[in-house]
Amino acid sequence: MENLLGYTKNMLEDYFVNRGEKKYKATQVFEWLYRHGEYDIAKFSNIKKSIITTLQTDFTTDFIKIEKVLEGKDVKKFLFRLLDNEKIEAVLMEHDYGLSVCVSSQVGCNMGCRFCESGRLKKVRNLEAYEIVEQILLIQKHIGKRISSVVVMGIGEPFDNYDNIIRFIKIINDPKGLAIGSRHITVSTCGLVPKIKEFSNLDLQVNLALSLHGATDEVRNYLMPVNKVYNIDTVITTIKEYITKTNRRVTIEYVMLNMVNDRDSDAYNLARLLKGMNVYVNLIPYNATSIGEFQKSSQERIAEFGKILKQEGINVTVRREFGGNIKAACGQLRSESD
Ligand code: SAH
C-alpha cells in the first residue's frame, strides 16, 4: 500500500483515469486532505462508496509522529519518529514575513561534508514524499498556523532523493495542496550536477541554493567530498546553464569557517568565480557540531568578507542565526537521539 499523502494531483488523476473515473476526483481528494485536513478516507463524503473502497485498499494515510519539540527564540525543533522508528528533525522559524519550515529529505546523509553533523550518521534511507509532506502538516497542526515558506535544508541531500523531492514540491506547491508559492520554496544541494541539470528542465519556478563553501578545488575538496566528483568548474558551469535556462537567480551558500575559507583571498577568489552571474551569496555563520574541528569566523571577519564581495560587485547577505542553543541551526540536525 502507498501513502496517499505522497501522491501528486497528477498521479491521482492518472490513478482515477486508469480506473475509468473522472480526473476531478483527484481534486476532491486533495481538498479533503489539504483543505479540510480529513485523513480518514471513509469520510470523503462527496466520493462514491465504490471508489472509497478502492482508495482504502490501495492507500493508507498513516502519519509519522512528533516525538519531541524543543523551543528557542523564534524557533522550534521537531524530532519525528517515522513508522519504521527511524528519526529525523525539522525546524520551524518565525520571521517577520511569516513562518518557514526547514524539512529533512533523508535519514542520515552520505555526502560527508566535514563541518556538518547530519552526515555523522550515513544515509539509512531516503524519505518518502509523504514523510516530507507530513513534517509540514504536523508542524502546522501543532502550532495552529499556516506555514508560508519551506526550505529543503534539513538532514540529507535532496538531489540524492530526487524523485521524492519533486513529488513533495508538487504537492506543497499545488493550489489545491498546501498552496505554498514556488517562490517560497527553496531546495539546497551540495552540487549533484546531473540532478541540477534535470531540475532546470522542470520549470517549477522554485529557488535553488548551492552549497559552495570554497572558492578553490583545494579548499572545497577538503570540506566536501562531492567536489572530487563534481569540481568547482563543473558545478559553476552547470549553475550558469541553470540560470540561462530558468532565468532565475541562484543562492550560493558559503559557511564561514575561521581561517579555513574566510580570508580576504578567499573572498576575492569567490568574487572572481561568481562575477557576472545572477546569484547572491548567503554567508552562513558556522554552527558548532560534535566534530569540533572548525571555529566560527568572527562577526567582524564575516562583515569584512561580505564587504569585499560587495566591492567586487557580488550581492551578499548574512544568514540570520536560528536555534543554536537547541541544536536546531544549519548543520546541527541529526537522525540519532542522544
Ligand atoms: N545537503 C544539502 C542540504 C543541506 S542545507 C546541501 O548540502 O545543500 C544546509 C546548509 O547548511 C548547507 O549549505 C550546509 O552546507 C550548511 N551547513 C552544514 N553544516 C553547517 C554548520 N555546521 N554550520 C553552518 N552551516 C552548515
Side-chain angles (χ1 to χ4, degrees):
M1 277 219 267
E2 293 216 51
N3 195 307
L4 195 53
L5 293 137
Y7 258 51
T8 64
K9 199 153 87 261
N10 270 329
M11 291 168 74
L12 269 175
E13 285 173 353
D14 289 347
Y15 172 88
F16 284 119
V17 169
N18 287 337
R19 282 158 186 77
E21 297 291 342
K22 293 276 194 300
K23 255 187 174 174
Y24 73 84
K25 297 229 152 51
T27 303
Q28 292 180 320
V29 170
F30 256 54
E31 284 173 344
W32 281 114
L33 297 174
Y34 302 110
R35 189 193 293 171
H36 306 300
E38 179 59 73
Y39 307 117
D40 181 354
I41 296 173
K43 295 197 177 135
F44 294 179
S45 56
N46 57 355
I47 296 180
K48 65 180 182 219
K49 262 269 132 50
S50 60
I51 299 177
I52 295 279
T53 312
T54 317
L55 283 172
Q56 283 171 323
T57 47
D58 291 340
F59 295 104
T60 71
T61 53
D62 291 340
F63 266 75
I64 64 173
K65 294 204 168 42
I66 296 179
E67 174 126 326
K68 197 160 149 199
V69 184
L70 288 179
E71 301 202 14
K73 182 177 162 6
D74 297 336
V75 62
K76 290 188 176 60
K77 180 169 80 165
F78 294 79
L79 173 71
F80 295 99
R81 181 186 287 274
L82 309 178
L83 296 174
D84 61 358
N85 289 324
E86 295 294 348
K87 287 176 192 160
I88 49 154
E89 295 184 317
V91 177
L92 168 75
M93 287 159 282
E94 283 178 41
H95 311 267
D96 33 7
Y97 56 82
L99 298 175
S100 74
V101 167
C102 173
V103 294
S104 288
S105 58
Q106 299 179 316
V107 178
C109 181
N110 274 347
M111 298 301 125
C113 301
R114 255 176 203 266
F115 45 80
C116 181
E117 186 77 29
S118 301
R120 216 180 64 170
L121 179 72
K122 290 288 154 231
K123 177 169 97 171
V124 176
R125 66 172 176 86
N126 284 328
L127 293 189
E128 301 292 331
Y130 84 88
E131 293 173 311
I132 316 174
V133 172
E134 288 180 0
Q135 293 172 48
I136 297 175
L137 291 176
L138 287 171
I139 291 176
Q140 285 194 151
K141 194 166 164 214
H142 184 89
I143 59 171
K145 289 188 199 144
R146 184 174 179 272
I147 304 302
S148 56
S149 56
V150 170
V151 297
V152 188
M153 298 191 182
I155 303 158
E157 166 49 43
F159 282 176
D160 185 37
N161 183 15
Y162 186 80
D163 293 344
N164 288 324
I165 289 301
I166 301 304
R167 273 161 77 158
F168 162 73
I169 292 172
K170 288 182 173 166
I171 294 166
I172 64 166
N173 183 225
D174 196 301
K176 294 284 180 188
L178 289 177
I180 297 172
S182 49
R183 303 245 184 322
H184 298 264
I185 301 172
T186 304
V187 179
S188 176
T189 178
C190 66
L192 300 184
V193 162
K195 295 299 171 190
I196 298 174
K197 288 185 199 273
E198 231 178 298
F199 198 62
S200 69
N201 290 324
L202 280 185
D203 198 27
L204 282 174
Q205 305 293 322
V206 303
N207 305 308
L208 178 68
L210 171 74
S211 296
L212 190 62
H213 305 324
T216 61
D217 281 327
E218 194 193 352
V219 173
R220 199 167 189 262
N221 278 340
Y222 180 71
L223 295 175
M224 303 174 70
V226 69
N227 197 63
K228 293 178 187 143
V229 186
Y230 306 112
N231 65 14
I232 292 188
D233 186 38
T234 311
V235 80
I236 291 296
T237 304
T238 308
I239 293 292
K240 284 181 178 159
E241 290 164 3
Y242 175 93
I243 293 169
T244 308
K245 200 174 263 179
T246 61
N247 213 5
R248 295 193 55 72
R249 186 163 79 158
V250 169
T251 306
I252 303 293
E253 295 164 287
Y254 195 95
V255 62
M256 294 294 290
L257 304 166
N258 182 39
M259 304 289 283
V260 174
N261 66 356
D262 70 346
R263 297 156 296 191
D264 286 0
S265 57
D266 297 302
Y268 286 109
N269 284 336
L270 183 60
R272 199 170 323 119
L273 198 60
L274 302 177
K275 195 134 243 167
M277 289 173 72
N278 184 17
V279 294
Y280 82 91
V281 175
N282 195 209
L283 298 176
I284 314 179
Y286 168 70
N287 299 300
T289 67
S290 67
I291 301 141
E293 177 183 349
F294 301 105
Q295 276 106 42
K296 201 183 187 123
S297 308
S298 68
Q299 261 185 21
E300 297 73 43
R301 183 80 297 251
I302 297 177
E304 185 59 30
F305 194 93
K307 207 169 109 193
I308 296 176
L309 290 178
K310 235 174 245 164
Q311 278 164 3
E312 296 296 303
I314 309 289
N315 294 314
V316 54
T317 54
V318 179
R319 185 171 290 183
R320 184 177 155 196
E321 292 178 75
F322 270 102
N325 56 343
I326 56 167
K327 294 222 163 33
C330 307
Q332 293 183 322
L333 302 186
R334 304 173 47 187
S335 296
E336 294 165 300
S337 339
D338 294 316

